[in-house]
Amino acid sequence: MKKMLVLATSALMLVACSEKPGYEITGTVNNPALEGKCVYMYPYGDAEAAPIDSAVVTNGSFAFKGTQDSAVLRTLKFSEEVVPRSYGPAGESGIFTATFVLSNAKLQATLDSLSDVTGTPDNDAVAAFRKEIRSMRAEQETLVAALKSEDEAAKREAEQKYDAIDRAVVDKAEAFIGENINNALSGVVFYSFRYELPEDAQNQLVAKAGDVFKSVPGISQIMERLENLKTVAVGKKFTDFPMKDVNGKDRKLSDYVGKGKVVLIDFWASWCPPCRREMPNLVEVYKQYKAKGFEIVGVSLDSKQEAWEKGINDLNITWPQLSDLQGWKNSGAALYYVNSIPHTILVDKDGTIVAKNLHGEDIEAKVAELLK
């Protein structure tokens, strides 16, 4: 009997040892309307990929089980017929969508307007980061009423606080990515903040990143853009281009730049809220320094003449304006690899780029320094 017990125990141990380690994902969906719908698991970054697996939402819950040879990026979401595609703020996925690192571990997923997956150090780190920036953005929401105030002083104060929080969120993202540079999810965060992170910060992060980070979908395109940006980097001479002014007259950027004045090239559009918030600051800097050798050249990414002209009038813009009315296909923006606006380039009296993407008080400080 004792011998049989030993043999039975040995057999159980052999079975246990032969079982492959696997993953278990237990999830909740915080929306009764999604009861009975399928949650799908997709490879991250491939819009054409078929789902790898699916699970039905039952009593607000779902589950996935399987094995994974190595850690990979995956996305949980519903079909677009059930939950239309949406885009969250930088650092977040769309609603009821979560991107995470899948490995052989027990993971917990929450799908909601803001979603997370936890259960491993890499996933937990990103969830903690998102919690921090969500709190910061919640503070921005308290400023919305003041942003619409007819009290100009209160409105301006709210705008400054709002922009300061924006900058703090970007700083937090830069720090997180740098501290988690070997986490594939930090590459996802990097990609989502590609429009907000300063060019020099992006270069520094890429320089210290390894293969895990660089293999994240989308990172290679960012690296290519950063390489291209070296042609219009600080220290390079400005790149000229022809374009019509608001009256339809043919102009060149060189009509204004490299003529002995400090020039701010401002890529903007009348439909761009951050551009409009920044414009009162540019109006004040222009008034203060125009007579001292400062010029601004606006390059509008508008596509309609009427909207462009109305924006100029509404925002009290009095400096030269250029546009080809091609929207995001603006030829000048393409030469300077502009992928978000407002985008500013400060050029010295000789036509050398001395700073990029200055905003707010930083513009006035740099202009004052150059005009000493």
Side-chain angles (χ1 to χ4, degrees):
M1 183 70 180
K2 184 175 181 182
K3 185 176 181 180
M4 291 177 63
L5 182 60
V6 171
L7 289 172
T9 303
S10 299
L12 288 171
M13 290 178 65
L14 286 171
V15 170
C17 289
S18 67
E19 290 180 355
K20 288 185 177 181
Y23 61 80
E24 294 182 19
I25 304 172
T26 56
T28 57
V29 178
N30 295 324
N31 188 328
L34 296 175
E35 184 72 14
K37 305 299 183 181
C38 281
V39 180
Y40 295 95
M41 186 191 300
Y42 288 89
Y44 169 76
D46 185 351
E48 304 301 320
I52 296 167
D53 200 354
S54 65
V56 177
V57 178
T58 305
N59 297 324
S61 301
F62 63 91
F64 288 92
K65 287 186 178 182
T67 58
Q68 184 60 46
D69 292 336
S70 60
V72 290
L73 288 171
R74 294 287 184 255
T75 297
L76 296 177
K77 63 180 181 179
F78 293 87
S79 69
E80 291 187 21
E81 291 76 19
V82 173
V83 177
R85 181 181 297 185
S86 64
Y87 299 93
E92 297 283 358
S93 303
I95 60 172
F96 297 99
T97 302
T99 295
F100 65 105
V101 174
L102 178 64
S103 60
N104 291 322
K106 291 185 177 181
L107 302 172
Q108 298 78 46
T110 301
L111 298 186
D112 203 336
S113 55
L114 296 171
S115 305
D116 281 306
V117 175
T118 57
T120 62
D122 284 356
N123 289 303
D124 292 350
V126 174
F129 161 71
R130 286 175 175 157
K131 183 178 180 180
E132 288 187 81
I133 63 172
R134 286 168 185 167
S135 175
M136 297 164 77
R137 285 172 172 154
E139 187 178 345
Q140 283 183 317
E141 292 300 313
T142 66
L143 300 170
V144 170
L147 289 171
K148 299 176 182 178
S149 173
E150 294 183 1
D151 183 334
E152 287 301 319
K155 182 178 179 180
R156 185 64 175 165
E157 182 181 0
E159 287 173 348
Q160 290 173 345
K161 289 181 179 178
Y162 195 98
D163 291 343
I165 294 172
D166 268 344
R167 291 192 294 272
V169 168
V170 174
D171 289 344
K172 180 72 69 175
E174 181 182 346
F176 169 80
I177 296 165
E179 293 164 3
N180 296 271
I181 202 68
N182 294 316
N183 180 348
L185 278 173
S186 74
V188 176
V189 173
F190 180 81
Y191 184 79
S192 71
F193 275 92
R194 65 195 182 279
Y195 299 128
E196 290 84 3
L197 282 168
E199 181 183 331
D200 58 344
Q202 292 190 38
N203 276 309
Q204 291 171 21
L205 290 168
V206 167
K208 66 186 289 189
D211 291 342
V212 170
F213 183 98
K214 292 178 180 178
S215 66
V216 171
I219 300 300
S220 61
Q221 290 92 326
I222 295 177
M223 292 171 64
E224 180 180 356
R225 180 175 181 274
L226 290 171
E227 191 64 29
N228 291 333
L229 280 168
K230 292 178 181 178
T231 63
V232 288
V234 171
K236 297 285 188 179
K237 288 289 184 180
F238 79 99
T239 299
D240 200 10
F241 58 81
M243 199 165 284
K244 294 185 183 297
D245 66 16
V246 73
N247 297 313
K249 185 175 180 179
D250 290 330
R251 299 285 188 183
K252 289 184 177 180
L253 187 61
S254 56
D255 292 341
Y256 312 97
V257 181
K259 302 292 186 183
K261 288 186 175 183
V262 172
V263 180
L264 183 76
I265 306 168
D266 177 40
F267 292 92
W268 75 290
S270 65
W271 45 260
C272 164
C275 303
R276 298 181 74 94
R277 288 201 303 271
E278 179 68 16
M279 211 56 75
N281 176 63
L282 293 188
V283 169
E284 289 304 313
V285 174
Y286 194 56
K287 285 180 182 178
Q288 186 174 354
Y289 292 99
K290 179 184 178 182
K292 299 177 183 179
F294 175 58
E295 186 59 274
I296 301 177
V297 179
V299 183
S300 171
L301 273 64
D302 276 284
S303 57
K304 295 182 180 179
Q305 180 80 19
E306 299 79 8
W308 182 26
E309 291 182 3
K310 187 175 187 303
I312 291 170
N313 292 328
D314 290 350
L315 297 167
N316 300 312
I317 297 172
T318 56
W319 49 85
Q321 285 286 316
L322 305 174
S323 183
D324 56 12
L325 298 177
Q326 295 298 308
W328 280 110
K329 294 182 180 179
N330 181 284
S331 58
L335 286 171
Y336 283 88
Y337 302 97
V338 175
N339 63 2
S340 65
I341 52 177
H343 182 96
T344 60
I345 299 171
L346 190 63
V347 184
D348 70 10
K349 296 177 182 180
D350 298 323
T352 300
I353 298 172
V354 293
K356 298 174 73 174
N357 272 322
L358 296 177
H359 302 293
E361 296 176 356
D362 292 337
I363 293 177
E364 192 276 336
K366 191 64 178 180
V367 169
E369 175 188 326
L370 293 171
L371 291 175
K372 282 183 180 178

